[in-house]
């Protein structure tokens, strides 16, 4: 299969997006503990991001159709770049949980825009293959 440059660049952006997020995971529980958080707070921080991602995806798909895939991906990337700064200035768990929820929205925006973009870049009969590459690019970041 010959991959168009736009497809390769989209995959590369996905790898770097997920790599940047995954690099925070080992430090987050330690940071939560430094704020006085408990192991349960670690779970809440994960849930805040996941819950916000699930709920916001209900609207982000429509946004990607109206604004375009790339702008939604860029918006998600910007949010993902800002939220670690918000983690760093969080002095208490409620602020950190709000930042994690915002991170979930960024994850939803980037990943929804990315998957829709991949589907747009390939012919319909190859969309399954393209989404397989999508999964592989996320796994590579892990």
């Amino acid at each position: 299969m010959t991959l168009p440059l736009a497809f390769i660049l989209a995959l590369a952006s996905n790898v770097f997006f997920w790599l940047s997020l995954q690099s925070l995971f080992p430090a987050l529980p330690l940071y939560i503990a430094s704020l006085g958080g408990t192991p349960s707070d670690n779970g809440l921080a994960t849930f805040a991001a996941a819950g916000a991602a699930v709920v916001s995806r209900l609207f982000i798909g429509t946004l990607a159709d109206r604004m375009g895939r790339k702008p939604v991906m860029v918006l998600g990337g910007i949010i993902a770049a800002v939220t670690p700064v918000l983690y760093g200035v969080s002095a208490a768990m409620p602020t950190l949980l709000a930042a994690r929820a915002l991170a979930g929205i960024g994850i939803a925006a980037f990943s929804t825009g990315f998957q829709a973009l991949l589907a747009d870049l390939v012919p319909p009969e190859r969309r399954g293959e393209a989404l397989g590459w999508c999964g592989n690019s996320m796994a590579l970041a892990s």
Side-chain angles (χ1 to χ4, degrees):
M1 165 173 151
T2 302
L3 300 173
L5 180 60
F7 187 85
I8 293 168
L9 291 174
L11 288 174
S13 71
N14 194 49
V15 168
F16 287 115
F17 177 82
W18 287 102
L19 186 61
S20 70
L21 289 179
Q22 302 238 5
S23 67
L24 295 172
F25 288 158
L28 194 57
L30 299 172
Y31 185 65
I32 289 170
S34 78
L35 293 177
T38 66
S40 295
D41 290 329
N42 285 322
L44 283 174
T46 300
F47 177 76
V54 167
V55 171
S56 65
R57 275 191 178 99
L58 298 171
F59 310 100
I60 289 174
T62 301
L63 189 64
D65 288 338
R66 289 188 182 153
M67 284 180 56
R69 279 67 160 118
K70 291 178 193 174
V72 171
M73 284 177 65
V74 169
L75 175 64
I78 290 169
I79 292 170
V82 168
T83 52
V85 175
L86 297 177
Y87 300 166
V89 299
S90 297
M93 281 307 299
T95 311
L96 180 66
L97 293 175
R100 289 290 293 153
L102 183 60
I105 294 169
I107 290 167
F110 184 89
S111 62
T112 300
F114 169 71
Q115 290 175 0
L117 177 66
L118 282 193
D120 292 345
L121 291 173
V122 298
E125 64 273 6
R126 301 199 71 181
R127 286 192 180 140
E129 181 182 3
L131 293 177
W133 280 97
C134 167
N136 282 339
S137 67
M138 287 187 286
L140 178 63
S142 294

